[in-house]
Amino acid sequence: MPSVLNDPKLEALIGRLQALSKAQEPETPAYFQGRAAAGRTDFSFMDAGDHAHFADKLVALETEKAEFCYGVCRAIGARRIVELGTSFGVSTLYLAAAVRDNCRGGGGQGVVIGTEHEPRKAAAARANFAEAGLADWIDLREGDLRQTLKDLTGPIDFALFDIWTEMARPGLELIARRLRVGSVICADNTASPRAKVGYGDFFAFINDPANGLRTMTLPFEGGFEFTVKVS
């Protein structure tokens, strides 16, 4: 079955990055087990040790979730996308490919606005964007998302949250006023008991009728939130 991307060069790059991400996965449970054994019990926020551990980790969005995002973005004709938590840019490549494909044939301009806190990850992501030939479709902003996204303009068609849960509510508040009716928000890993606690403020915002959002948790591994702006 052909890939949803229909872009062999891009698929080869993504395949290489996904393999590296997969190879790194066993390191993270071992890291958290070690921290817990040393007495840390609250993982609802990132401390200096967490930042150091994840600085070289891709933590790439799983292929099936990234392909789903690509399909949604194509279906809604997304041309302005915000990604909160870019890492090495694997999911960003899918989003940028969707924007590029939506804009083909005179469909106008588009952009994926990404934000990444770790400088080394941002540099690696930019290199991946250039290799894929998608750099012109991506505006990657480096730093704290509460600063990098404070000057967003709209309308926003699609947003992807793949970040530490403590930043989910601040990020949502920054993009919410720019969402158009019919836009979609996806958020990764929302179903585990720990994530549900961490995402509490995020869900409180989504479930407030005043914000015009409707949501459901899709049965991908770890849960994948699918939220639509309805009013």
Side-chain angles (χ1 to χ4, degrees):
M1 179 181 296
S3 164
V4 297
L5 296 173
N6 194 30
D7 185 334
K9 177 183 174 182
L10 179 57
E11 291 159 24
L13 171 60
I14 288 174
R16 189 173 79 241
L17 295 173
Q18 287 282 16
L20 177 57
S21 181
K22 195 74 174 176
Q24 293 174 331
E25 284 182 4
E27 299 177 41
T28 295
Y31 165 77
F32 282 119
Q33 288 165 11
R35 295 296 306 272
R40 184 181 176 193
T41 58
D42 184 1
F43 292 100
S44 64
F45 63 95
M46 289 188 75
D47 65 12
D50 298 332
H51 282 292
H53 171 76
F54 283 105
D56 66 342
K57 304 298 186 295
L58 276 74
V59 200
L61 190 70
E62 294 95 325
T63 298
E64 63 271 19
K65 295 176 183 176
E67 290 183 343
F68 175 80
C69 289
Y70 173 89
V72 171
C73 289
R74 292 303 310 278
I76 66 174
R79 289 176 171 81
R80 287 186 58 79
I81 293 174
V82 178
E83 181 186 47
L84 297 89
T86 293
S87 189
F88 281 58
V90 178
S91 53
T92 325
L93 295 173
Y94 283 90
L95 301 177
V99 170
R100 174 199 63 190
D101 296 344
N102 285 336
C103 292
R104 277 177 171 159
Q109 297 180 331
V111 66
V112 178
I113 300 169
T115 183
E116 173 54 48
H117 185 269
E118 298 289 346
R120 282 193 289 171
K121 287 190 171 187
R126 290 189 179 99
N128 292 330
F129 302 157
E131 182 177 343
L134 289 170
D136 289 346
W137 299 99
I138 302 165
D139 171 14
L140 179 57
R141 303 177 181 186
E142 184 179 325
D144 188 315
L145 66 82
R146 289 168 292 190
Q147 298 301 316
T148 60
L149 300 181
K150 68 180 182 179
D151 62 346
L152 282 175
T153 59
I156 295 169
D157 302 308
F158 181 89
L160 174 61
F161 284 71
D162 192 9
I163 53 175
W164 207 259
T165 56
E166 65 184 289
M167 300 302 291
R169 173 67 180 254
L172 184 56
E173 290 177 343
L174 284 169
I175 71 167
R177 66 185 184 277
R178 304 298 184 186
L179 295 169
R180 66 166 174 84
V181 173
S183 62
V184 172
I185 302 168
C186 286
D188 193 24
N189 291 322
T190 57
S192 72
R194 191 172 71 187
K196 281 187 176 295
V197 172
Y199 271 119
D201 289 341
F202 177 85
F203 280 115
F205 187 97
I206 285 176
N207 292 324
D208 184 341
N211 293 321
L213 301 166
R214 304 281 179 84
T215 197
M216 64 183 299
T217 304
L218 302 180
F220 289 103
E221 183 178 358
F224 199 64
E225 207 65 23
F226 180 82
T227 304
V228 179
K229 176 71 171 175
V230 296
S231 65

